[in-house]
Amino acid sequence: MVSTPVVQSSPRLDYVVCSSPSGVHRMAYWEWGDPSNKKVLLCVHGLTRTGRDFDALAQALSSEYRVICPDIVGRGKSDYLVDPDSYIVPQYVADIFTLIARLQPTTLDWVGTSMGGLIGLGVAGALINLQRLHAWDTDHILNSSWAVPFRRMVLNDVGPVISAEGLARIGNYIGDELFFDSFEQAVEHAKKQWKSFGPHTQEQWEHLTRYVFHQQDGQWNLTYDLGIATPFKRQFIEQNEAASELLVQAAQKILWDAYESLPAETLIVRGETSDLLSDEVAQQMLQRLPSAQLYQVAGVGHAPTFMSPDQIAVLKRFLLQE
């Protein structure tokens, strides 16, 4: 008798303890699928979002993968950092390595939206540096728990060059304190704030709102630490205005090197009207990694949410191809 797979209606919540220069913190992660499955898919969200953004995609893939959707520190169910200056990609990369060590996957695939894609590039770059440092000890690297290669990578509306226009738009609202008297008001705000996500049903907008707002003292306010705005604005807004061309080029070279180290099975997703990943940069990404593929989502800006059946179908075909 063939058993019917159990359909998981909601994720399991767990935590991993990570460290920063100012102490330790817990990073929450949402888990779908068989916890003994060593085939892992990591889904990493954007700047102010949470791992619950991936519920629809994770549920659709949970029969094939152990799907892990972390709340990056400072967001969702994760702790806030004592020092807001630590809300930077290197800290997030370190936390992800701690999570990978907990999961011990045999294969690792990645879906990264915006910031989640940059974290993925950071992890890929760190693995390349590790291999270079231990080039003399090939056997150790191949047998190391850190040597889990990316099998397939999805970069969702992000690349090694990020548009200043998109960064400025995000900088205009990140860190703003918001209070609403009802959940319905928060949903209406979300529809306007994230209209670039494209068309969604009322139920989908409520889902996209529910995990980035929470009720406190009779009002609905943001769940993320407003302190994440401090290093973001300094690094991406103020620095862009003051940095020399040489500094910008050096930063982009690091990202391009990491990008070019990605596996052959890389999918670039771009919202058709994205103000963060330009069509020009997307085409350059295809040229510099000729095996990569491009999926452009019509009627969407920054960034596709992978909630609609057509978007999910494209990712399933890419991730599950043999």
Side-chain angles (χ1 to χ4, degrees), residues 7-20:
V7 178
Q8 189 177 339
S9 59
S10 59
R12 300 177 294 273
L13 174 62
D14 206 342
Y15 297 86
V16 63
V17 177
C18 306
S19 63
S20 75

Side-chain angles (χ1 to χ4, degrees), residues 39-71:
K39 182 181 178 183
V40 170
L41 174 65
L42 263 172
C43 299
V44 187
H45 60 79
L47 184 64
T48 63
R49 306 297 307 171
T50 78
R52 298 303 300 268
D53 277 8
F54 296 103
D55 278 9
L57 178 66
Q59 187 173 39
L61 290 166
S62 60
S63 63
E64 299 286 340
Y65 288 99
R66 181 185 183 188
V67 187
I68 304 294
C69 308
D71 287 346

